[in-house]
Amino acid sequence: MIIQYPQELLDEVHQRVAGRNLAGFTPGQGKLKPDLMLVGEAPGRHEEVHNIPFSGASGKELMKMLATVGYDRESVYITSVVRQRPYSIKKVTDKKTGAQVVKKPNRTPTKKEVLAFANLFDWELEQVQPKIIVPLGNTALQRLLGSQANIGQLHGQLLKQPIQHAKKDGSGYELATTNSLLVPMYHPAAVLYSRKLEPTVREDWQRLGKIVKKLNS
């Protein structure tokens, strides 16, 4: 299922990101009230074109890990804290022709961009109602738990604590009054860049599988 966002929230995002280097719009997708809601950073180039979250190289890695604990794309919900692809603009010289070429590679979203999507993300989380939120990487983790949270310290751990919600005036975040369950994970791209992380990531996913099994028993 592809989620349908309220028009007023889409309008608010559009207003707040006007003039920023962001492209496309990839909606969250999957099952409502799932065991797991996987939260990434932002769409990449493949997602911008195909409009399917985590459908590029990182997505293939993520699907492999999901399969090790008995889940697939249809049995979870997948989204990210920013719904448009952040890009930078770089001028490079084509080696064959010597001509100047403009490239638009992916980049990490800024904190202001994450905040611009905060009300939309809060609404989405409320609709999905997952048993466990799985932030993938530091950008998603810090959106939920604050800038002091670090994936290197928290990966694979079951956390029960309040998460951040956007303040009504859009100026920042405040903590929820109730607890949520989270299991932070390394972003699948981290494994693509550093294969030595793979055993750790596999171990974390196995731990997550056991946590869900226990919750459901």
Side-chain angles (χ1 to χ4, degrees):
M1 188 197 106
I2 296 169
I3 203 154
Q4 300 294 318
Y5 301 98
Q7 192 57 48
E8 63 269 23
L9 289 177
L10 293 170
D11 292 345
E12 179 194 305
V13 167
H14 185 70
Q15 227 173 7
R16 295 188 71 179
V17 301
R20 292 185 172 270
N21 291 343
L22 295 164
F25 187 95
T26 306
Q29 190 176 323
K31 181 182 174 182
L32 296 184
K33 298 191 177 174
D35 288 343
L36 305 175
M37 178 177 180
L38 310 177
V39 184
E41 177 179 280
R45 197 184 302 277
H46 194 276
E47 289 77 13
E48 181 197 344
V49 173
H50 297 278
N51 255 7
I52 299 167
F54 274 102
S55 54
S58 289
K60 284 177 187 162
E61 199 64 39
L62 181 61
M63 292 310 122
K64 264 169 40 183
M65 292 302 166
L66 261 182
T68 66
V69 290
Y71 290 90
D72 59 15
R73 188 178 283 279
E74 283 70 41
S75 57
V76 298
Y77 187 89
I78 306 175
T79 190
S80 49
V81 293
V82 167
R83 307 276 2 108
Q84 294 180 273
R85 180 174 82 89
Y87 64 88
S88 48
I89 298 173
K90 290 186 177 177
K91 286 183 181 175
V92 293
T93 305
D94 188 293
K95 286 178 184 174
K96 287 182 183 174
T97 64
Q100 284 267 297
V101 181
V102 175
K103 293 204 167 186
K104 295 180 176 180
N106 297 340
R107 61 171 172 81
T108 303
T110 65
K111 285 184 173 147
K112 278 190 176 173
E113 286 163 352
V114 174
L115 183 58
F117 281 85
N119 280 325
L120 189 82
F121 178 78
D122 288 347
W123 177 87
E124 186 172 25
L125 184 53
E126 209 174 289
Q127 304 309 303
V128 176
Q129 293 181 26
K131 286 181 184 171
I132 297 176
I133 305 167
V134 182
L136 302 162
N138 268 327
T139 302
L141 179 64
Q142 289 172 3
R143 160 62 179 90
L144 291 162
L145 297 185
S147 56
Q148 77 294 339
N150 184 281
I151 204 76
Q153 294 166 349
L154 298 175
H155 66 92
Q157 294 179 39
L158 175 63
L159 309 174
K160 187 179 181 179
Q161 61 189 88
I163 59 171
Q164 293 190 144
H165 289 291
K167 289 182 179 174
K168 293 295 175 210
D169 63 1
S171 64
Y173 304 101
E174 58 195 1
L175 284 177
T177 52
T178 54
N179 287 330
S180 294
L181 292 179
L182 299 91
V183 178
M185 292 284 186
Y186 280 109
H187 193 283
V191 179
L192 296 177
Y193 296 128
S194 176
R195 280 289 167 193
K196 65 182 182 186
L197 267 180
E198 195 166 353
T200 304
V201 171
R202 282 188 174 278
E203 208 176 287
D204 287 349
W205 278 95
Q206 290 309 305
R207 198 177 297 131
L208 175 58
K210 287 172 187 167
I211 288 166
V212 181
K213 207 172 177 182
K214 200 175 173 183
L215 263 185
N216 287 337
S217 61

